[in-house]
Amino acid sequence: MAEIPLLITSAIEPNPNQKSLVMVQKEERLIATKASIFLWASLGQKKIIVCDSTDHKILEKNDISLLKKMDIDFEQIKLKINDDDIISYGKGYGEGLIIDYSIKNSEIISQNDYFFKCTGKYFCRNYETILKLITENNLKTVFWRLFDRSFAGLDMSVIDTRFFFTSKNFFNNYLSKVYLEKINKSIERRLLNILDENLKPSYLIKPQIFGISGGNGGSTLELNLGDLDESFPSWVQT
């Protein structure tokens, strides 16, 4: 499998009236998103696309020049999503629009069948291990269950949408139907049926996700879960 692109979804200037949103200052969000891009670069990611839904560009020319010197293929694209739609249908709908737009408009993604998606302001500390797992086992799509004490705990019906691996075909044929549905219910729960119907349940190494949550404005560092870290509930396509 060739070098896999990473799509970072971003909303630098969201509507401050959006439900469950604490981090609303655009400067704060911009700095956190920039930081995550450079952390991904430091982890060795060679193809990075960032797509912002509030019509903002994240990196300046000198930032992009630094990435180019590291042989990183970087692309930033943007669109403007209607604020009322996000308020009416939730953040999941907005992310769906970003992913859909990126698949249709990103030059890097157009040249690749598969991609990782990560929500802006986050990165995966054990990315190299996750990448090796996917390439060595020729996996086509991977989702993990969400473990978050403040949101889901051990609820098996909640999917982690912050970081996953999939193909353009799987998104277009299956995921988009859920992401782009105009209904204000948690995308983390609504994805379950699609994954159960089209992917195999599995137990894989858990991604170590770290970053800044726009929802509560604080840093997110997931706890060590012992044996679960090496055998975590997930869904795969082989």
Side-chain angles (χ1 to χ4, degrees):
M1 193 177 286
E3 186 74 42
I4 301 170
L6 168 72
L7 170 63
I8 297 174
T9 58
S10 166
I12 296 301
E13 195 171 3
N15 188 322
N17 297 317
Q18 188 174 310
K19 184 180 178 182
S20 302
L21 184 66
V22 172
M23 184 187 284
V24 295
Q25 186 178 7
K26 68 178 182 180
E27 291 80 8
E28 232 184 334
R29 297 178 69 89
L30 178 62
I31 288 172
T33 303
K34 274 191 174 186
S36 70
I37 292 170
F38 284 114
L39 282 168
W40 277 109
S42 70
L43 288 171
Q45 178 62 26
K46 292 298 184 182
K47 293 183 179 182
I48 300 174
I49 309 99
V50 59
C51 182
D52 185 77
S53 64
T54 60
D55 202 33
H56 279 270
K57 285 192 174 181
I58 313 302
L59 298 190
E60 303 296 335
K61 288 183 179 179
N62 59 329
D63 298 320
I64 297 171
S65 178
L66 283 175
L67 296 179
K68 189 174 181 179
K69 289 179 181 178
M70 297 171 64
D71 295 321
I72 293 172
D73 191 2
F74 177 78
E75 178 183 16
Q76 55 184 349
I77 54 180
K78 59 181 182 174
L79 69 159
K80 182 66 176 78
I81 297 177
N82 188 302
D83 286 341
D84 291 338
D85 286 345
I86 303 301
I87 292 173
S88 297
Y89 310 125
K91 291 185 293 184
Y93 177 73
E95 279 234 315
L97 289 176
I98 295 174
I99 299 170
D100 183 66
Y101 182 86
S102 299
I103 288 174
K104 293 173 180 174
N105 292 276
S106 164
E107 183 177 343
I108 294 176
I109 292 179
S110 73
Q111 299 168 357
N112 295 267
D113 295 325
Y114 301 91
F115 62 95
F116 284 97
K117 176 266 173 188
C118 188
T119 300
K121 306 184 298 300
Y122 288 103
F123 74 104
C124 177
R125 294 189 301 159
N126 60 339
Y127 176 65
E128 187 176 342
T129 301
I130 298 297
L131 180 61
K132 183 178 179 181
L133 169 76
I134 287 170
T135 54
E136 289 187 349
N137 292 280
N138 198 28
L139 300 179
K140 304 294 192 298
T141 290
V142 184
F143 278 82
W144 287 267
R145 184 180 62 75
L146 178 66
F147 182 87
D148 185 337
R149 294 186 188 279
S150 66
F151 177 52
L154 291 171
D155 188 345
M156 285 294 293
S157 68
V158 182
I159 311 301
D160 193 342
T161 60
R162 297 172 301 172
F163 177 72
F164 59 80
F165 170 73
T166 192
S167 67
K168 291 184 291 188
N169 282 340
F170 192 78
F171 180 83
N172 289 333
N173 293 332
Y174 301 103
L175 300 177
S176 64
K177 297 175 183 177
V178 181
Y179 266 106
L180 301 180
E181 185 179 10
K182 292 186 174 182
I183 180 172
N184 195 358
K185 291 184 179 179
S186 164
I187 187 65
E188 291 85 358
R189 295 186 186 279
R190 291 191 295 114
L191 279 175
L192 180 65
N193 288 341
I194 287 289
L195 300 189
D196 278 344
E197 291 171 5
N198 296 282
L199 303 181
K200 298 177 182 178
S202 186
Y203 289 88
L204 301 175
I205 295 171
K206 181 179 180 293
Q208 297 172 5
I209 306 299
F210 175 75
I212 307 296
S213 168
N216 60 36
S219 62
T220 299
L221 179 61
E222 296 183 347
L223 301 175
N224 187 312
L225 301 178
D227 291 341
L228 267 178
D229 285 335
E230 302 298 318
S231 183
F232 198 75
S234 54
W235 292 258
V236 303
Q237 182 184 46
T238 56

